[in-house]
Structures are given as structure tokens and as C-alpha cells.
Amino acid sequence: MIRILTRAVVLAALSGASALAHDAAATATITVVFDHAIPNVPGKSLRGVLVAYGPGGSSPAHTHAPSAFITATVLQGAIRSQVNDGPVRTYRAGEHFTENPGDRHAVSANASDTEPARLLAVFVVDTAETVLTTPIP
């Protein structure tokens, strides 16, 4: 696991993968944990991003790379999420949600003010795309 995390830090530094803006209200830690070209799908890659929220943590509203299809699985705690104009839902450890290319992630937050939460977001994305997340002004 240490080898994977060490590689993730190097990949994040080399790939230019963007993290969400970080300020007092946005207490998410973003770590790229894998980045692999898909050998039988030329031009596409699979990227895994670990998102860790402290108690009460959240991310600003954002979009993802235009080509990105994402499936996110909650690993710890509970995450509040809203995609596009859908309802705000709470996903608990073991549950997942998806985002299609062009979707807007309006709410992404830890559902608890006292416990941490983590999710793994797996992107299928054009290999050339380096900016995975862009805050919505």
C-alpha cells in the first residue's frame, strides 16, 4: 500500500492532475492513486482519485474533464452529493454514484460534522486530459 501511495504522489506531481480549490470551507484532500492507459481502448485512461473529507468538510461545486465518466464509491463515513439538478443524496460506505461527461457536481460534502469520510472516484477519461476537476465560479 505504501508503494501505491508513494507512486500516487509522484503521479499527481507529474500528471498535472488538478485538485479542487483549497480554502477554509473546502477541506478535501485529493490524491491520485492510479493512472493507467486502457490497452484495448486507444486514447482512454483509467484514473483513481481518493477524496478524503475531514469532519464537516466539503468541496466547491465543480465539473470534471469533458470526457470523464466517473463512478465514485464511498469507502468510509457518509458523503452528501448532488449531480446536476438531481436531489441531494447521502451515500454511506459501500454505496456508489456515477457522473456522466458534462455533469455538474453541485454538492460534494462529508455528511458528518464529527467523523471523517473518504471516497474513491474512478475516472474513464481521455488520456490527454490532465485537468480532472474545475471549480464552478
Side-chain angles (χ1 to χ4, degrees):
M1 182 69 164
I2 291 172
R3 183 175 167 198
I4 291 170
L5 290 176
T6 301
R7 184 168 183 241
V9 171
V10 171
L11 282 172
L14 294 177
S15 72
S18 69
L20 296 173
H22 190 81
D23 60 27
T27 56
T29 301
I30 314 297
T31 306
V32 176
V33 293
F34 60 85
D35 184 354
H36 297 287
I38 303 173
N40 60 340
V41 186
K44 293 290 185 179
S45 288
L46 194 63
R47 295 189 183 136
V49 177
L50 181 64
V51 181
Y53 291 110
S58 65
S59 300
H62 57 275
T63 59
H64 292 289
S67 68
F69 171 78
I70 303 158
T71 182
T73 302
V74 178
L75 303 174
Q76 175 186 13
I79 302 287
R80 286 185 314 107
S81 180
Q82 180 185 28
V83 177
N84 297 322
D85 295 323
V88 176
R89 292 200 45 203
T90 299
Y91 297 90
R92 301 191 187 305
E95 297 180 322
H96 77 277
F97 58 91
T98 60
E99 294 181 51
N100 291 312
D103 281 352
R104 187 182 75 257
H105 202 163
V107 174
S108 185
N110 186 342
S112 172
D113 289 330
T114 60
E115 300 294 325
R118 292 183 308 142
L119 67 84
L120 177 65
V122 178
F123 290 67
V124 176
V125 64
D126 288 348
T127 300
E129 303 227 55
T130 57
V131 177
L132 294 180
T133 304
T134 302
I136 297 172

